[in-house]
């Protein structure tokens, strides 16, 4: 089974609802699923809502036995409360199912060319097994996930990543992994299959977005236990209330006690808890990140140390020409012309950066015979009539010149090397006489905005560590330029492991990115290990997340998504508990005002009657769930701040808001309820 068409559009693309977008239409389309979730076996998984479900059944019996506007109203709105809770989960799951359906529509059977001892055989892709070798040539689909073991080819991965630019996959390196359903555009490769049918990358992605593989995280389980405990406490309190009411001569009906219980237990967060977790996974998928579990997403929110590779994450993947330094009597213009001519045949990224740096050099490019750059000569250049131009490493140019380089040139070369850069010497040979024009400085260029992002992480209490194979001097210079908190120079796999264990011993959670087989141990040891999709199968198996876009800087976004998930859960829990406090002032005074007139002073909302007060509280309790579904799916807006600042904001916005909102909401509902005949 393979992918043959474009992936589903992301939230920034038209025609599809993204992770942060909510449409009221989703409520209607998810309603059938919400009704199916009324099955008591499903409700039992959520203790809080199971209590509400039992209360709904109980009040329905009373409404049938003693029908009245009040009893029927209570029964109906308690059922609405359960349905609205199911609706929150159904909407979250529905968006994942829509993504999964888009992926399924793009899958179709393909035929693989499997290698045998006697040649090739054509077999259906679903019959491939781990270890099989298959041949894929230009224009053919890769039939399954695996590693390139022979050859090199350009591959179109747009069906998976959405990126239209092809990528290179080759054997023997860290970019050997290929994904089933991608298309080979050129050349021929032999792929060793590494996954069983039904367990491919795309199959795992479908299972993830459908929620089939989602298990409750430790924090989610702990919060469920807390909510269950609160429910039991309130249940005992309500049961104990009846003898007191009977002693006072104001015995309450089971209907009223049930309504009181439902309004006092934390139904709001109980209804939205599952939707918050599903939506957090959905936000990752929308950003082309595949997580193996919700635990990984949650751990990302608690990360306190980020390990970041220098190359490709903090700096651009290749060193770039940043400065031309003329020596001797040469002018800047002469050095620029010579450097450009010597780099036109250099197809390395460094060579192309020199051409870009010298763009606009006075005078048209001259014509001559190109001398391409090779790893053996470590030089490139151009041979013109009566003139030769070369650019390369100092030792290579020294050998080409046939003499020691001028003292000034050697000083500039040493200075650039000491500062962590790479010097390239430019020389010309005119009529047999060699002239050194100057030195090109190649530098690791820090990506724009990285310093600001690290400042944000520092404000969040996250420590950043740059990992590089460079010497300590170079590492120190780049770390200072980027603004990271610390660095690990000349890092080997065992050094990464030692650093991770050291951080974890202090009780900190560690996140890192990697793409090579040598990164696999560190990815497995990290609390959040993000493997690049372009990396090896070993790296992708070791990590608990895979970035389809292979963008190492996305680790910072993953941390933000994890924190947003935790903040959303905390904010809505705060709102829910504060919300319950306000309902006391609606129901308790209404229950005992006839016996204790002094309680009338607590009726600060001046509700119409005891029955209208109770019914209004039940209606508000149901409606607030629907009102908060968009926030649960979108997530509370996250801004980098310390834990204490976030706590203050939560208490101020959602704590105070949770107290004030019910007063206004119940009062407005009461204005409508009192218009109903019989109330």
């Amino acid at each position: 089974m393979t992918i043959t068409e474009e992936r589903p559009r992301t939230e920034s693309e038209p025609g599809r609802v993204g992770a942060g977008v909510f449409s009221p239409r989703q409520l209607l389309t998810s309603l059938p699923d919400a009704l199916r979730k009324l099955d008591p076996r499903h409700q039992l998984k959520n203790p809080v809502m199971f209590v509400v479900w039992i209360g709904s059944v109980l009040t329905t019996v009373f409404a049938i036995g003693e029908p009245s506007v009040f009893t029927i109203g209570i029964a109906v709105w308690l059922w609405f409360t359960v349905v609205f809770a199911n609706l929150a989960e159904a909407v979250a799951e529905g968006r994942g199912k829509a993504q999964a359906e888009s992926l399924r529509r793009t899958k179709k059977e393909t035929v693989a060319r499997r290698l045998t001892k006697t040649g090739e055989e054509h077999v259906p892709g679903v019959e491939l097994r781990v270890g099989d070798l298959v041949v894929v040539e230009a224009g053919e689909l890769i039939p399954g996930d695996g590693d390139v073991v022979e050859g090199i080819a350009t591959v179109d991965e747009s069906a998976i990543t959405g990126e239209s630019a092809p990528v290179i996959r080759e054997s023997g390196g860290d970019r050997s992994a290929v994904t089933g359903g991608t298309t080979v555009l050129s050349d021929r490769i032999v792929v060793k299959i590494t996954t069983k049918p039904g367990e491919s990358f795309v199959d795992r992605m479908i299972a993830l977005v459908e929620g089939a593989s989602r298990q409750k995280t430790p924090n989610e389980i702990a919060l469920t236990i807390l909510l269950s405990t609160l429910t039991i406490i309130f249940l005992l309190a309500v049961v104990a209330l009846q003898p007191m009411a009977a002693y006072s001569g104001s015995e309450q009906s089971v209907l009223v006690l049930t309504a009181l219980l439902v309004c006092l237990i934390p139904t709001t967060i109980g209804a939205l808890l599952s939707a918050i977790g599903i939506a957090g996974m959905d936000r990752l998928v929308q950003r082309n990140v595949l997580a193996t579990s919700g635990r990984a997403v949650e751990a990302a929110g608690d990360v306190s140390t980020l390990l970041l590779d220098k190359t490709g994450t903090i700096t651009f993947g290749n060193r770039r020409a940043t400065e031309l330094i003329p020596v001797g009597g040469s002018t800047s213009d002469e050095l620029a012309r010579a450097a450009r001519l010597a780099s036109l045949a250099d197809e390395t990224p460094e060579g192309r950066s020199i051409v870009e740096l010298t763009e606009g050099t006075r005078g048209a490019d001259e014509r001559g015979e190109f001398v391409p750059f090779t790893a053996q000569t470590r030089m490139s250049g151009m041979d013109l009539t009566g003139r030769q131009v070369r650019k390369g490493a100092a030792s290579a140019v020294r050998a080409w010149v046939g003499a020691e380089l001028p003292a000034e040139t050697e000083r500039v070369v040493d200075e650039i090397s000491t500062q962590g850069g790479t010097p390239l010497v430019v020389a010309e040979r005119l009529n047999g006489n060699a002239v050194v024009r100057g030195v090109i400085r190649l530098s690791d260029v820090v990506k724009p905005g990285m310093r600001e992002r690290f400042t944000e992480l520092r404000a969040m209490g996250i420590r950043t560590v740059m990992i590089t194979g460079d010497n300590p001097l170079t590492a120190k210079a780049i770390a200072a330029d980027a603004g990271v908190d610390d660095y690990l120079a000349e890092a080997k796999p065992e050094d990464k492991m030692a650093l991770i264990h050291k951080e974890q011993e202090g009780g900190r959670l560690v996140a890192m990115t990697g793409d090579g087989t040598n990164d696999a141990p560190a990815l497995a040891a990290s609390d959040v290990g993000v493997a690049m999709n372009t990396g090896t199968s070993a790296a992708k198996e070791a990590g608990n997340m895979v970035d389809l876009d292979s963008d190492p800087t996305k680790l910072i976004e993953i941390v933000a998504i994890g924190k947003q998930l935790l903040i959303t859960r905390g904010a809505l829990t705060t709102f829910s508990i504060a919300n319950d406090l306000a309902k006391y002032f609606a129901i308790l005074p209404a229950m005992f005002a006839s016996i204790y007139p002094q309680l009338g002073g607590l009726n600060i909302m001046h509700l119409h009657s005891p029955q209208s007060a109770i019914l209004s509280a039940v209606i508000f309790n149901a409606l607030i769930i629907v009102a908060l579904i968009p926030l649960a799916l979108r997530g509370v807006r996250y801004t980098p701040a310390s834990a204490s600042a976030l706590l203050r904001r939560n208490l101020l916005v959602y704590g105070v808001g949770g107290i004030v909102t019910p007063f206004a909401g119940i009062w407005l509902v009461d204005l409508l309820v009192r218009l109903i005949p019989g109330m």
Side-chain angles (χ1 to χ4, degrees), residues 300 303-309 453-454 457 460 462-467 484-486 499 503 509-513 528 553 555-559:
V303 159
S304 52
T305 303
L306 281 183
L307 307 184
L308 302 163
D309 275 334
R453 300 191 79 171
F454 291 140
L457 290 169
M460 295 155 48
I462 295 177
R463 179 170 171 265
T464 53
V465 181
M466 182 187 77
I467 299 177
V484 296
D485 298 312
D486 202 354
L499 178 60
E503 293 290 328
L509 297 187
V510 179
M512 76 161 289
T513 61
V528 179
T553 62
L555 179 58
I556 300 175
E557 292 182 42
I558 292 171
V559 170

Side-chain angles (χ1 to χ4, degrees), residues 112-426:
R113 296 163 56 191
R114 183 165 60 187
L115 290 178
T116 64
K117 294 180 179 180
T118 57
E120 293 182 12
E121 64 175 352
H122 291 75
V123 298
V126 293
E127 292 185 8
L128 292 175
R129 295 294 181 267
V130 175
D132 285 348
L133 298 178
V134 296
V135 177
V136 191
E137 296 185 346
E140 296 179 347
L141 293 174
I142 296 173
D145 295 357
D147 289 325
V148 178
V149 294
E150 181 184 319
I152 181 173
T154 53
V155 180
D156 177 11
E157 295 187 339
S158 60
I160 301 296
T161 66
E163 293 293 333
S164 57
V167 296
I168 295 177
R169 294 289 177 265
E170 58 185 329
S171 61
D174 287 343
R175 294 181 177 269
S176 61
V178 290
T179 305
T182 54
T183 305
V184 173
L185 299 180
S186 68
D187 303 293
R188 174 187 182 275
I189 54 175
V190 176
V191 176
K192 183 178 182 180
I193 300 299
T194 57
T195 58
K196 300 177 183 178
E199 298 180 5
S200 70
F201 192 81
V202 176
D203 291 316
R204 289 162 55 198
M205 189 172 182
I206 290 174
L208 171 70
V209 298
E210 280 187 322
S213 61
R214 197 189 88 87
Q215 297 179 342
K216 287 187 176 182
T217 63
N219 283 350
E220 199 172 345
I221 293 172
L223 184 54
T224 300
I225 294 173
L226 173 63
L227 297 180
S228 302
T229 304
L230 289 175
T231 300
I232 294 172
I233 292 173
F234 283 123
L235 177 61
L236 295 176
V238 171
V239 170
L241 193 63
Q242 184 69 323
M244 297 172 58
Y247 178 79
S248 302
S250 180
E251 186 173 349
Q252 301 295 320
S253 67
V254 176
L255 191 76
V256 171
L257 293 176
T258 302
L260 173 64
L261 175 63
V262 170
C263 289
L264 295 188
I265 64 177
T267 52
T268 305
I269 185 61
L272 298 174
L273 186 58
S274 180
I276 293 170
I278 295 172
M281 299 283 284
D282 184 47
R283 281 192 288 275
L284 270 185
V285 173
Q286 290 288 343
R287 286 162 178 79
N288 272 3
V289 178
L290 174 65
T292 57
S293 68
R295 184 190 296 263
V297 185
E298 203 168 77
D302 285 329
V303 159
S304 52
T305 303
L306 281 183
L307 307 184
L308 302 163
D309 275 334
K310 180 206 72 175
T311 305
T313 303
I314 296 174
T315 65
F316 288 100
N318 301 282
R319 296 191 172 193
R320 297 186 175 188
T322 55
E323 186 182 7
L324 300 177
I325 305 173
V327 296
S330 299
T331 65
S332 298
D333 195 51
E334 288 174 335
L335 172 59
R337 286 202 301 270
R340 183 177 180 83
L341 287 173
S343 303
L344 290 175
D346 187 355
E347 291 300 322
T348 65
E350 292 83 0
R352 291 195 294 269
S353 74
I354 296 172
V355 174
E356 292 175 6
L357 182 65
T358 57
E359 192 72 40
T361 300
R362 185 164 52 86
D365 291 339
E366 300 180 52
R367 303 289 182 182
E369 182 181 349
F370 287 135
V371 178
F373 174 87
T374 66
Q376 289 75 29
T377 63
R378 295 189 297 160
M379 288 194 307
S380 64
M382 181 180 289
D383 292 340
L384 304 100
T385 303
R387 178 186 174 200
Q388 295 175 307
V389 185
R390 293 291 187 275
K391 168 226 65 185
S395 57
V397 174
R398 187 184 298 114
W400 182 76
V401 170
E404 291 295 322
L405 298 176
E408 181 184 4
T409 304
E410 293 284 6
R411 179 183 59 78
V412 173
V413 168
D414 292 341
E415 183 178 310
I416 293 175
S417 299
T418 302
Q419 294 172 352
T422 300
L424 295 179
V425 178
V426 180

Side-chain angles (χ1 to χ4, degrees), residues 423-659:
L424 295 179
V425 178
V426 180
E428 287 190 62
R429 185 174 286 156
L430 302 170
N431 299 319
N433 297 319
V435 179
V436 176
R437 292 298 184 190
V439 183
I440 304 169
R441 182 195 298 269
L442 296 180
S443 305
D444 278 305
V445 179
V446 175
K447 292 182 177 180
M450 292 305 295
R451 176 174 285 274
E452 290 74 14
R453 300 191 79 171
F454 291 140
T455 301
E456 291 180 2
L457 290 169
R458 200 170 294 111
M460 295 155 48
I462 295 177
R463 179 170 171 265
T464 53
V465 181
M466 182 187 77
I467 299 177
T468 177
D470 290 335
N471 62 72
L473 193 62
T474 301
K476 182 179 180 180
I478 296 171
D481 190 20
V484 296
D485 298 312
D486 202 354
Y487 64 89
L488 178 65
E490 298 177 341
K492 299 183 288 295
E494 53 269 27
D495 297 328
K496 297 179 186 179
M497 291 287 292
L499 178 60
I500 290 172
H501 291 319
K502 180 182 177 181
E503 293 290 328
Q504 290 172 333
E505 285 172 0
R508 292 179 288 269
L509 297 187
V510 179
M512 76 161 289
T513 61
D515 59 1
T517 300
N518 63 334
D519 292 324
L523 287 171
S526 300
D527 300 284
V528 179
V530 184
M532 301 296 101
N533 189 41
T534 56
T536 61
S537 296
K540 289 194 281 189
E541 288 297 324
N544 49 25
M545 292 188 186
V546 177
D547 177 19
L548 302 183
D549 295 330
S550 299
D551 177 10
T553 62
K554 196 178 288 185
L555 179 58
I556 300 175
E557 292 182 42
I558 292 171
V559 170
I561 291 172
K563 286 191 174 293
Q564 185 183 37
L565 170 65
L566 297 178
I567 291 171
T568 301
R569 186 183 296 155
L572 292 182
T573 301
T574 304
F575 182 92
S576 178
I577 294 174
N579 187 43
D580 294 335
L581 293 174
K583 296 172 193 171
Y584 298 162
F585 292 91
I587 295 182
L588 292 180
M591 290 175 61
F592 298 102
S594 60
I595 301 301
Y596 303 105
Q598 298 87 344
L599 290 176
L602 295 178
N603 187 15
I604 58 179
M605 291 176 280
H606 302 291
L607 302 179
H608 177 61
S609 66
Q611 287 188 334
S612 72
I614 295 171
L615 182 57
S616 297
V618 171
I619 293 174
F620 173 81
N621 192 62
L623 294 178
I624 196 64
I625 295 174
V626 180
L628 291 175
I629 288 177
L631 181 62
L633 298 180
R634 184 180 63 250
V636 174
R637 184 178 179 183
Y638 170 68
T639 53
S642 63
S644 58
L646 292 174
L647 178 61
R648 284 195 301 270
R649 189 184 74 174
N650 260 9
L651 292 176
L652 181 62
V653 176
Y654 296 98
V656 175
I659 294 175

